[in-house]
Structure formats: structure tokens, C-alpha cells
Amino acid sequence: MARRKKIYEGKAKVLYEGPEPGTFVQYFKDDATAFNAEKKDVIEGKGVLNNRLSEFFMIGLETIGVPTHFLKRINMREQLIRQVEIIPLEVIVRNYAAGTMSKRLGLEEGTRLPRPIVEFCYKDDSLGDPLVAEEHIIAFNWATQQDLDDMVALALRVNDFMSGLMYGVGIRLVDFKIEIGRLWDNDFQRLVVADEISPDSCRLWDIETGQKLDKDVFRRDLGSLSDAYTEVARRLGVLPSNATHMPKPTLIN
Ligand code: 5GP
């Protein structure tokens, strides 16, 4: 069998050429990194959980009419996605202050924001993904004003969907990051949610106890990352098909 062509390898995922034109296979690794890859580890099973969780969120978004790059799950670690042109921006939505916003503005983590706030960071590891203003985005041609308006609208819809979903299982969606891609249909472009949505890219706190159930567990050495992600998956009813769910083998006579 011919080896698959690797298109791109990032910190947590690998993209391979897909079986049909216009598709990629997205492979979820177990690698965890933080602080621009200064802190690294391998968390067994993280890739499997994030593959399932991202699938779950993307299918839900599609169901309510938010377009995504997701096509179907292939196996425990891989999903088939549409090939999109990634806009080089991280779109962050915040409902409560935390992380870099708390540091930048001196706000206590957990402070409720007056409304969801959308921020853009320029995707460039060598610069540490700096926060940028809409002025930079338009002046440097990373996106148009129309794209920006569409990106904000898309990000806020994702926020409403994810906040409600998480609230239903006793989790507060503090903030999250998405990436958005352009999907071309001749000269017509559509913006779709791309990359992944998982506890790697969200802040998720238990509503009752405040316990962190996201990548901050790894960033801040707060315990087992796989236990935290498994808890999110369990509450949402999304768990990888594992031994506990496998039917018993039957004897073939
Ligand atoms: P902060 O700016 O506070 O570090 O992050 C805000 C939110 O965006 C958090 O939920 C964080 O997980 C997510 N985020 C920001 N940058 C990245 C990134 O480079 N990769 C991932 N996976 N998530 C990020």
C-alpha cells in the first residue's frame, strides 16, 4: 500500500492527503505542549479523546447550521475533513476572565465579563501568537472587513452552542479558541469552523467546584490531564469505544 503523503505536522495533530481531492485526514496525536512548546509531554489516550470530542462538537454545530470542516470519523485517532484555506488567526471567545486576559488587564480569573469578548491572535509560533487588532488584520490582508464580521458571527454562534452544551453537564465554558477556514466553491467562499474543538483549546470549569477540566491541568500541573478529558467526555456521553463498551466475543462453531 502506498504511504500517505503528509501535508503538515503540528504540535497536536498531523494532516495527511485525503482519499479524494479536497479532503484531508486529520490525525490526533497524544502529544501535549504548552507555553509555545516549552513544556511537552505525551498523554496516553489524549488523541483518541480529542478526536471523539471534536467530532461530537463539530457534528452538533453542523446540526444547528454552523458550517465546519468535519466530514466523518475514520478510526480512533483520525477523521476525514474538508481541505480549507486556514485564515492565519486564532479566534478567541471569552465569557469569564482567565489566562492571558487576566494577566493583561489585571482581572481576577473567573470574573464574569459584561458580554462575550472576541479577540484575534496572529498565528505565528515564532512570535508567540500575538494579540492583534482588526486594523492589523485588514492592513496586512489576513482577512477582509467582511471576513471579520463573518468570523465574529461564527465565533459567537459557536460560543452559544458550546456554552449551552457545557452548562447542561455542569461545566462552565470560560473561553475557547477556534480556527476558521475558507472553503471555495468556484469563486464563492464560505467560512467554516476548522482545526479542532476540544479541551485542548477551551477552558472548562466544573460549575459546582471550579475544578479545571481542560489543558490548564497540564499547563499548571494540576493533576491528570487524561482524567480531566475523560470526565468531560463521560459527562457528554462521548467516550471512545473501549473495552467496557465492547460486546463480549462470541464463539463461532
Ligand atoms: P489564553 O489567551 O488565555 O492563553 O487562551 C484563551 C483560550 O484560547 C484558552 O481556552 C486556550 O486554551 C485557547 N488557546 C489560546 N491559544 C491557543 C493555542 O495556541 N492552542 C490551543 N490549543 N488553544 C489555545
Side-chain angles (χ1 to χ4, degrees), residues 67-132:
T68 79
H69 71 165
F70 183 83
L71 289 169
K72 66 169 186 182
R73 173 158 40 92
I74 299 171
N75 57 42
M76 300 262 282
R77 285 182 183 276
E78 295 180 328
Q79 46 184 244
L80 188 68
I81 57 168
R82 293 187 179 90
Q83 186 177 342
V84 299
E85 193 183 299
I86 294 282
I87 296 177
L89 296 168
E90 295 188 335
V91 185
I92 294 173
V93 183
R94 300 181 186 271
N95 299 305
Y96 296 83
T100 57
M101 178 186 238
S102 285
K103 281 211 190 79
R104 203 179 308 116
L105 302 180
L107 289 170
E108 193 182 335
E109 289 210 312
T111 308
R112 190 182 223 308
L113 299 173
R115 63 184 177 100
I117 293 179
V118 181
E119 294 175 349
F120 295 97
C121 293
Y122 180 52
K123 258 172 70 72
D124 185 324
D125 282 343
S126 66
L127 300 174
D129 300 335
L131 182 71
V132 290

Side-chain angles (χ1 to χ4, degrees), residues 4 13-19 23-28 47-59 68-83 193-198:
R4 285 187 302 188
K13 298 184 294 296
V14 187
L15 279 186
Y16 295 99
E17 197 171 63
T23 64
F24 284 150
V25 172
Q26 178 164 256
Y27 175 98
F28 287 77
V48 174
L49 286 160
N50 281 354
N51 185 27
R52 289 299 291 254
L53 283 164
S54 199
E55 170 195 7
F56 179 73
F57 299 135
M58 298 269 180
I59 288 177
T68 79
H69 71 165
F70 183 83
L71 289 169
K72 66 169 186 182
R73 173 158 40 92
I74 299 171
N75 57 42
M76 300 262 282
R77 285 182 183 276
E78 295 180 328
Q79 46 184 244
L80 188 68
I81 57 168
R82 293 187 179 90
Q83 186 177 342
V193 180
D195 189 55
E196 73 179 292
I197 304 179
S198 74

Side-chain angles (χ1 to χ4, degrees), residues 78-229:
E78 295 180 328
Q79 46 184 244
L80 188 68
I81 57 168
R82 293 187 179 90
Q83 186 177 342
V84 299
E85 193 183 299
I86 294 282
I87 296 177
L89 296 168
E90 295 188 335
V91 185
I92 294 173
V93 183
R94 300 181 186 271
N95 299 305
Y96 296 83
T100 57
M101 178 186 238
S102 285
K103 281 211 190 79
R104 203 179 308 116
L105 302 180
L107 289 170
E108 193 182 335
E109 289 210 312
T111 308
R112 190 182 223 308
L113 299 173
R115 63 184 177 100
I117 293 179
V118 181
E119 294 175 349
F120 295 97
C121 293
Y122 180 52
K123 258 172 70 72
D124 185 324
D125 282 343
S126 66
L127 300 174
D129 300 335
L131 182 71
V132 290
E134 295 199 358
E135 288 283 299
H136 298 108
I137 296 172
I138 292 163
F140 296 126
N141 233 349
W142 297 324
T144 63
Q145 183 64 58
Q146 182 63 56
D147 290 337
L148 276 176
D149 294 347
D150 293 347
M151 287 168 83
V152 168
L154 203 56
L156 291 176
R157 286 198 75 192
V158 174
N159 186 44
D160 283 347
F161 171 78
M162 292 291 295
S163 294
L165 194 62
M166 290 300 172
Y167 177 73
V169 295
I171 294 174
R172 171 171 302 158
L173 178 65
V174 173
D175 58 29
F176 66 93
K177 181 265 300 185
I178 53 169
E179 295 185 20
I180 293 176
R182 301 178 200 278
L183 194 58
W184 290 98
D185 181 4
N186 293 318
D187 283 345
F188 180 74
Q189 105 168 354
R190 217 158 43 113
L191 298 185
V192 306
V193 180
D195 189 55
E196 73 179 292
I197 304 179
S198 74
D200 267 7
S201 49
C202 301
R203 281 200 173 89
L204 305 170
W205 298 355
D206 181 272
I207 288 177
E208 292 284 313
T209 65
Q211 187 193 356
K212 294 182 178 25
L213 298 168
D214 56 61
K215 203 163 126 185
D216 275 350
V217 171
F218 171 71
R219 294 187 188 103
R220 304 179 187 189
D221 293 319
L222 299 175
S224 160
L225 191 72
S226 64
D227 284 358
Y229 287 21

